[in-house]
């Protein structure tokens, strides 16, 4: 049976609702589109450019909103809608729309006939030609500024102009995940470009560009741009969860280097510092029951590790564990869950002693107790400084994901549930409600005393917010249910 | 409508400033608001650049002319401003200050807003005295502007 390759009526209606319901003088593109983009499934995400392009004729009488919609197309590089935008821009002869169309047509994924139509409409307009064609050379500083935005392959590390870094997203990463990632990249100050599957590799790959792609696209880029540094290519970033996105943002930031940093605290305040920062990694205070829940280890195992001297928890009337203790035990448990062979407990003191590393993008461990960091150039042994290849290394990011060992379940360490977060620098590291300084434990205790009424009495700002999943985590932490 | 008795201010995000207030010749060379923001942040005197980049047209059209007494937001950081004026756009902010003298000179009069004023911009979270002493006006021209402030 033939299927219509068009956005659904519901998607058209949702996009129209977003654009009509947003006053461009009061809202940003990201604020307007965030809820919609976060709710899209794969098919809807694939059709979003067509849906935005499709509603544009309805906005002919509202130039401000028309430009707003065009800005959304440019912001997330939805080049698939270039034809629709070009048609409207040429029809209205609006200069801003034409320049937006030109920006979109700079993407090599756009049909050449569409690009030619826009080029003809902008004949003699230098800022239009510079957007469209990398062979048009800038004549003065203002034009150079524009040129380097459009064609960031020409940027150098120490260039005098401060511009937004560029993150190129491979079309093969999947529409929904890419769009959600694009939304967050935009929020933290990156400019997004999307690399079409069959198009030539454009002049985007310079000192302030990072690529997120599939392995085949990596080869394609490097064969076309052999000078582009490998450390600026992130292959197969996990973008399917919020935590995966958070890790990917950190990796992009590390790959960008100091000249073009992202503003990670704009995404979530906790992200301003990396977990591996020595000032963060050593923080966190957990009671034994909490540590057991978060590591999946029985309480008796924790005490046993302490008795053997492998961990040295604080004794302050009660036993208190740090975030580094948690990571050490959890990684050991994770390695055990992945292997039928015996896993040495030597990884526990090694990770507990690890002081953190401000430049680490990833931290890993081997089953024989080596701790490794990746500062963007591959795994290095923290003790010897030796670069390690071909060793089975457990990335601690994987140990932070949920896993099962025997009958015990380890929750996601940093995102225990949809609305629950953990960061060692926030509330002494205890699981807490996202974007609030309210611990899951406090919510669970209030829930026990008087359910919703008690919670809303103590925290009226939570009325109408999704908190049930965090309450459930709180109950697991205190062991009341 | 009444003549203003105090200086007023209007606060916008970089994106809204880029979209509506930039001189078109300047906007021509900034494809995204983020690029404009980085340009501003790289300058030691952002306020001066912002003022020189302003277009000649009406700075604030009537439907968006929500003004707050500038004294109320004097020296506030962007984070404080966000709370004070119940603003959902992300910082940093650009504050356009309209002095009494310039407003009167440009024929700008003000009045307290009503619920109907909230409709064109769909300000669903607005309620009376949500932002104390705020006023609105008809179109505010460039001539009423005293200065532009950068609030990172």
């Amino acid at each position: 049976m033939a299927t219509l390759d068009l956005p659904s009526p519901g998607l058209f209606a949702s996009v129209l609702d977003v654009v009509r319901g947003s006053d461009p003088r009061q809202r940003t593109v990201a604020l307007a589109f965030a809820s919609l983009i976060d709710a899209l499934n794969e098919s809807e995400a694939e059709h979003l450019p067509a849906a935005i392009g499709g509603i544009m004729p309805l906005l002919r009488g509202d130039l401000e909103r028309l430009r707003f919609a065009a800005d959304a197309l440019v912001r997330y590089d939805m080049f698939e809608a270039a034809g629709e935008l070009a048609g409207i821009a040429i029809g209205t002869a609006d200069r801003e729309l034409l320049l937006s169309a030109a920006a979109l047509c700079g993407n090599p994924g756009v049909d050449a006939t569409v690009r030619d139509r826009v080029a003809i409409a902008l004949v003699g307009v230098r800022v239009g030609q510079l957007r469209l064609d990398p062979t048009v050379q800038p004549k003065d500083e203002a034009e150079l500024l524009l040129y380097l935005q459009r064609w960031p392959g020409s940027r150098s590390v120490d260039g005098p102009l401060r511009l937004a870094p560029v993150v190129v997203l491979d079309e093969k990463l999947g529409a929904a995940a890419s769009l959600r990632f694009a939304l967050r990249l935009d929020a933290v100050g990156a400019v997004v470009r999307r690399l079409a599957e069959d198009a030539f590799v454009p002049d985007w790959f310079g000192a302030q560009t990072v690529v997120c792609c599939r392995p085949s696209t990596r080869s394609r880029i490097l064969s076309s741009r052999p000078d582009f540094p490998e450390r600026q290519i992130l292959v197969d970033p996990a973008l399917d969860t919020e935590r995966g996105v958070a890790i990917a943002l950190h990796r992009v930031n590390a790959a960008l280097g100091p000249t073009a940093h992202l503003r990670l605290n704009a995404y979530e305040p906790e992200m301003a510092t990396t977990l591996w920062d020595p000032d963060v990694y050593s923080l966190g205070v957990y009671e034994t029951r909490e540590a057991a829940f978060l590591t999946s280890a029985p309480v008796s195992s924790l005490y046993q590790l302490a008795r053997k001297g492998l961990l040295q928890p604080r004794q302050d009337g009660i036993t208190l564990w740090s975030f580094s203790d948690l990571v050490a035990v959890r990684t050991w448990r994770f390695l055990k869950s992945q292997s039928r062979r015996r896993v040495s407990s030597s990884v526990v003191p090694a990770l507990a002693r690890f002081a953190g590393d401000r430049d680490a993008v990833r931290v890993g461990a081997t089953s024989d107790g080596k701790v490794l960091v990746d500062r963007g150039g591959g795994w290095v042994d923290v003790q010897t400084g030796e670069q390690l290849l071909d060793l089975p290394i457990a990335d601690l990011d994987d140990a932070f994901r949920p896993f099962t060992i025997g009958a015990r379940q380890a929750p996601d360490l940093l995102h225990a549930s949809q609305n629950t977060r953990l960061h060692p620098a926030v509330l002494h590291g205890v699981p807490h409600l996202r974007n609030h300084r309210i611990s899951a434990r406090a919510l669970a205790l209030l829930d026990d005393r008087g359910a919703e009424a008690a919670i809303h009495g103590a925290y009226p700002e939570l009325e109408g917010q999704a908190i049930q999943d965090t309450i459930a985590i709180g109950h697991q932490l205190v062991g009341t249910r | 409508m009444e003549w203003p008795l105090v200086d007023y201010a209007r606060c916008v995000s970089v994106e809204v400033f880029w979209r509506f207030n930039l001189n078109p010749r300047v906007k021509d060379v900034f494809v995204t608001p983020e690029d404009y923001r980085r340009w501003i942040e790289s300058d030691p005197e952002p306020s001066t650049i912002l003022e020189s980049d302003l277009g000649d047209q009406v700075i604030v059209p009537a439907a968006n002319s929500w003004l707050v007494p500038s004294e109320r937001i004097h020296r506030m950081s962007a984070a404080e401003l966000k709370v004070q004026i119940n603003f959902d756009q992300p910082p940093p902010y650009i504050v356009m200050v309209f002095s009494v003298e310039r407003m009167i000179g440009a024929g700008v009069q003000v009045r307290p807003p009503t619920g109907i004023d909230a409709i064109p911009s769909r300000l669903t979270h607005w309620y009376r005295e949500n932002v104390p002493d705020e006023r609105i006006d008809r179109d505010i021209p460039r001539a009423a502007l005293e200065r532009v402030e950068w609030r990172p």
Side-chain angles (χ1 to χ4, degrees):
Chain A
M1 194 167 85
T3 54
L4 281 174
D5 194 23
L6 284 171
S8 66
L11 185 57
F12 277 123
S14 300
V15 170
L16 188 59
D17 193 45
V18 165
V19 179
R20 290 287 309 280
S22 301
D23 179 351
R25 289 182 185 266
Q26 302 286 354
R27 303 224 89 183
T28 61
V29 165
L31 278 174
F33 280 88
S35 302
L36 175 67
I37 287 176
D38 277 342
L40 298 178
N41 63 29
E42 186 65 17
S43 163
E44 289 164 340
E46 282 171 7
H47 286 105
L48 185 63
I52 297 176
I55 59 123
M56 291 183 101
L58 302 174
L59 301 170
R60 274 179 190 274
D62 189 342
L63 194 56
E64 285 191 1
R65 284 190 170 80
L66 197 49
R67 290 173 177 167
F68 189 71
D71 188 24
L73 293 176
V74 174
R75 198 75 70 81
Y76 306 121
D77 204 14
M78 298 187 202
F79 60 85
E80 298 90 336
E84 287 82 356
L85 176 56
I88 292 277
I90 293 167
T92 57
D94 179 71
R95 180 185 166 90
E96 281 202 29
L97 287 176
L98 280 167
L99 292 180
S100 292
L104 211 53
C105 288
N107 190 308
V110 174
D111 190 286
T113 56
V114 174
R115 192 175 303 116
D116 291 346
R117 284 169 59 208
V118 175
I120 290 167
L122 286 167
V123 163
V125 181
R126 292 269 311 162
V127 291
Q129 300 300 333
L130 283 160
R131 279 168 165 81
L132 280 167
D133 183 357
T135 64
V136 176
Q137 289 301 304
K139 288 182 175 168
D140 55 31
E141 194 185 341
E143 287 194 0
L144 178 65
L145 187 63
L146 173 60
Y147 185 86
L148 293 177
Q149 289 169 61
R150 291 307 305 156
W151 312 108
S154 303
R155 291 188 202 174
S156 57
V157 179
D158 51 358
L161 301 174
R162 201 170 144 190
L163 296 164
V166 175
V167 179
V168 178
L169 300 178
D170 180 8
E171 201 182 12
K172 290 180 187 168
L173 288 175
S178 285
L179 252 180
R180 279 193 277 276
F181 193 43
L183 189 73
R184 275 120 186 115
L185 284 165
D186 179 51
V188 297
V191 166
V192 173
R193 298 285 166 81
R194 290 174 54 237
L195 188 61
E197 204 168 330
D198 301 319
F200 69 89
V201 175
D203 189 16
W204 292 347
F205 300 89
Q208 294 175 342
T209 301
V210 170
V211 187
C212 298
C213 64
R214 304 281 297 155
S216 57
T217 305
R218 172 187 163 278
S219 309
R220 192 175 130 217
I221 292 168
L222 287 176
S223 58
S224 174
R225 310 276 161 183
D227 293 341
F228 189 64
E230 284 229 33
R231 68 182 294 274
Q232 289 169 230
I233 305 179
L234 309 184
V235 176
D236 277 343
L239 303 174
D240 50 338
T241 62
E242 274 294 311
R243 201 169 65 74
V245 166
I247 291 166
L249 288 175
H250 269 300
R251 293 184 64 191
V252 167
N253 197 39
L256 279 167
T259 56
H261 268 162
L262 303 176
R263 293 184 302 274
L264 294 179
N265 59 342
Y267 175 61
E268 278 191 9
E270 288 91 333
M271 287 191 59
T273 50
T274 157
L275 279 181
W276 311 120
D277 188 312
D279 293 337
V280 174
Y281 187 63
S282 57
L283 298 176
V285 180
Y286 305 87
E287 292 181 16
T288 303
R289 194 197 293 261
E290 291 172 330
F293 171 69
L294 293 167
T295 58
S296 83
V299 167
S300 58
S301 291
L302 290 173
Y303 284 130
Q304 201 176 4
L305 289 167
R307 269 199 304 278
K308 286 183 179 171
L310 299 177
L311 290 176
Q312 293 175 327
R314 266 171 54 199
Q315 299 297 335
D316 198 5
I318 54 171
T319 305
L320 297 171
W321 310 80
S322 67
F323 182 70
S324 54
D325 293 333
L326 249 60
V327 172
V329 177
R330 191 173 162 114
T331 304
W332 178 49
R333 300 278 296 171
F334 172 73
L335 289 168
K336 283 169 64 158
S337 76
Q338 302 294 303
S339 171
R340 288 187 180 172
R341 295 165 60 189
R342 189 178 170 278
V343 176
S344 163
S345 58
S346 59
V347 73
V348 174
L351 274 169
R353 276 199 309 268
F354 172 56
D357 186 314
R358 194 162 277 119
D359 299 323
V361 179
R362 294 186 296 169
V363 174
T366 60
S367 56
D368 62 349
K370 284 192 174 67
V371 178
L372 312 140
V373 294
D374 176 1
R375 300 183 182 98
W379 291 113
V380 174
D381 187 321
V382 290
Q383 291 292 328
T384 63
E386 191 185 346
Q387 185 124 24
L388 295 176
L389 301 167
D390 303 328
L391 261 184
I393 297 166
D395 185 333
L396 265 57
D397 284 342
D398 293 330
F400 287 1
R401 294 175 193 272
F403 64 86
T404 303
I405 177 165
R408 301 180 77 91
Q409 296 269 341
D412 189 302
L413 183 59
L414 306 179
H415 291 188
S417 68
Q418 193 180 358
N419 293 297
T420 311
R421 295 288 179 272
L422 181 152
H423 190 280
V426 178
L427 287 177
H428 300 294
V430 298
H432 62 275
L433 185 63
R434 182 184 188 181
N435 295 329
H436 293 272
R437 297 181 82 85
I438 303 171
S439 71
R441 183 192 178 99
L443 289 176
L445 293 173
L446 281 167
D447 186 48
D448 276 341
R449 279 184 216 154
E452 234 176 56
I455 293 171
H456 292 153
Y459 303 110
E461 69 271 27
L462 299 185
E463 203 141 341
Q465 285 204 34
I467 57 172
Q468 286 306 321
D469 57 307
T470 306
I471 295 172
I473 293 293
H475 283 303
Q476 291 177 69
L477 278 167
V478 297
T480 54
R481 286 182 191 172
Chain B
M1 295 294 256
E2 61 203 33
W3 291 108
L5 299 174
V6 296
D7 295 353
Y8 283 98
R10 163 134 176 100
C11 180
V12 295
S13 63
V14 174
E15 183 171 328
V16 169
F17 188 87
W18 167 84
R19 185 172 294 128
F20 293 108
N21 293 116
L22 266 190
N23 183 319
R25 282 198 311 279
V26 178
K27 192 172 182 227
D28 274 357
V29 295
F30 290 101
V31 182
T32 69
E34 181 59 37
D35 283 304
Y36 184 64
R37 173 184 171 157
R38 299 234 177 197
W39 173 252
I40 291 298
E41 285 177 336
S42 68
D43 195 279
E45 290 185 50
S47 298
T48 309
I49 294 282
L50 289 165
E51 199 164 337
S52 71
D53 285 353
L54 257 179
D56 294 328
Q57 71 281 34
V58 165
I59 297 180
V60 192
N64 305 93
S65 64
W66 297 79
L67 305 172
V68 61
S70 68
E71 185 62 29
R72 282 190 186 277
I73 58 169
H74 188 54
R75 292 182 186 278
M76 277 187 180
S77 68
E80 291 166 328
L81 250 177
K82 188 173 169 61
V83 175
Q84 174 75 15
I85 62 170
N86 194 21
F87 207 38
D88 62 357
Q89 294 175 42
Y93 300 126
I94 295 160
V95 177
M96 292 180 273
V97 179
F98 307 101
S99 65
V100 172
E101 297 76 23
R102 283 183 174 268
M103 288 175 88
I104 292 172
V108 173
Q109 291 189 303
V110 295
R111 64 171 171 80
T114 66
I116 289 175
D117 296 314
I119 294 172
S121 296
R122 305 191 186 205
L123 301 174
T124 50
H125 55 284
W126 182 86
Y127 56 87
R128 196 181 301 276
E129 289 302 303
N130 181 7
V131 177
D133 298 328
E134 68 185 333
R135 293 288 185 276
I136 68 167
D137 175 58
R138 297 195 182 91
D139 293 351
I140 303 179
R142 173 87 153 79
L145 184 77
E146 177 70 33
R147 64 182 181 277
V148 181
E149 295 174 0
W150 173 248
R151 303 287 180 91

